[in-house]
Amino acid sequence: DAAPVSHNLLNNSGFESDLDFWTTDHATIRTTDPSAHTGTKYLFGALDGSATSLTYQTIDLIAKGFTESDLDSGSYLLNYGGWQSGWHTQRDSGKIEVVILDGSLIELDKKNLGWFYSNNSWILKEGTINVPIGARYITYNFYAQRHEGDNTDGYLDDAFIKVSDSSFSIIATAG
């Protein structure tokens, strides 16, 4: 059986290895203004003039050590999020979304944290969703959208996905 609480399932979640393990249409890596939340690098929406970007990573839950019986127990929760920021007072924004897929990559559920703008401060954005029976993959999406200027200044650092057994969490917090 899987551990009651997992570590971060995303690879290169702080972008210190640039875009390794991530797929993107326009995003790049940035190091200053603001400084990274942790480390020295973070995801930068787009520098190539594109008004929008999508960066994502798909996680194979079976490959990460979960069994089908664990996942089909209906007792797992997914905690997801990351630290978001933007450039100075521009209103460019970012959105974190998770999509839960079955073994045939058919969408079972999805949830997002809404569009978010931060003026040069790193803010933690996170949410929780039940892992539906049949889940085998999770895709973590980060969308960035430009509202002003030439660059798409929706920033992301220290992204995370953690899966926990809700029955363990309830027991652990009782008493």
Side-chain angles (χ1 to χ4, degrees), residues 5-9 66 77-80 160-164:
V5 179
S6 73
H7 60 285
N8 189 354
L9 298 175
F66 293 89
L77 294 174
L78 171 72
N79 177 247
Y80 68 100
F160 61 89
I161 286 181
K162 297 180 181 181
V163 175
S164 63

Side-chain angles (χ1 to χ4, degrees), residues 18-54:
D18 298 324
L19 291 168
D20 289 358
F21 300 100
W22 295 90
T23 301
T24 189
D25 54 4
H26 300 287
T28 189
I29 297 299
R30 189 172 173 121
T31 59
T32 61
D33 202 12
S35 296
H37 176 255
T38 62
T40 60
K41 300 177 182 181
Y42 57 92
L43 186 70
F44 175 18
L47 183 61
D48 66 0
S50 300
T52 61
S53 71
L54 168 61

Side-chain angles (χ1 to χ4, degrees), residues 1-173:
D1 286 352
V5 179
S6 73
H7 60 285
N8 189 354
L9 298 175
L10 291 170
N11 291 305
N12 189 28
S13 61
F15 304 95
E16 295 305 311
S17 297
D18 298 324
L19 291 168
D20 289 358
F21 300 100
W22 295 90
T23 301
T24 189
D25 54 4
H26 300 287
T28 189
I29 297 299
R30 189 172 173 121
T31 59
T32 61
D33 202 12
S35 296
H37 176 255
T38 62
T40 60
K41 300 177 182 181
Y42 57 92
L43 186 70
F44 175 18
L47 183 61
D48 66 0
S50 300
T52 61
S53 71
L54 168 61
T55 303
Y56 65 93
Q57 184 175 142
T58 299
I59 297 161
D60 179 338
L61 294 168
I62 301 297
K64 291 287 187 176
F66 293 89
T67 66
E68 289 184 6
S69 61
D70 289 332
L71 296 170
D72 293 343
S73 69
S75 66
Y76 280 84
L77 294 174
L78 171 72
N79 177 247
Y80 68 100
W83 290 82
Q84 289 185 245
S85 187
W87 191 77
H88 296 269
T89 59
Q90 281 192 345
R91 296 178 301 112
D92 295 1
S93 55
K95 177 173 68 173
I96 296 169
E97 175 185 71
V98 289
V99 181
I100 301 174
L101 308 163
D102 70 9
S104 299
L105 301 178
I106 295 171
E107 181 181 309
L108 298 174
D109 202 356
K110 72 178 171 182
K111 190 172 181 182
N112 72 69
L113 299 174
W115 289 101
F116 179 75
Y117 149 77
S118 168
N119 61 348
N120 230 38
S121 299
W122 289 104
I123 305 295
L124 174 63
K125 299 292 291 178
E126 67 181 319
T128 303
I129 185 172
N130 290 317
V131 176
I133 292 171
R136 300 296 181 264
Y137 298 91
I138 301 167
T139 298
Y140 182 107
N141 295 319
F142 181 73
Y143 298 89
Q145 184 170 338
R146 181 179 67 221
H147 296 284
E148 299 177 61
D150 296 322
N151 299 327
T152 304
D153 294 297
Y155 307 153
L156 175 67
D157 201 3
D158 299 320
F160 61 89
I161 286 181
K162 297 180 181 181
V163 175
S164 63
D165 184 332
S166 61
S167 61
F168 177 81
S169 298
I170 293 168
I171 293 167
T173 57

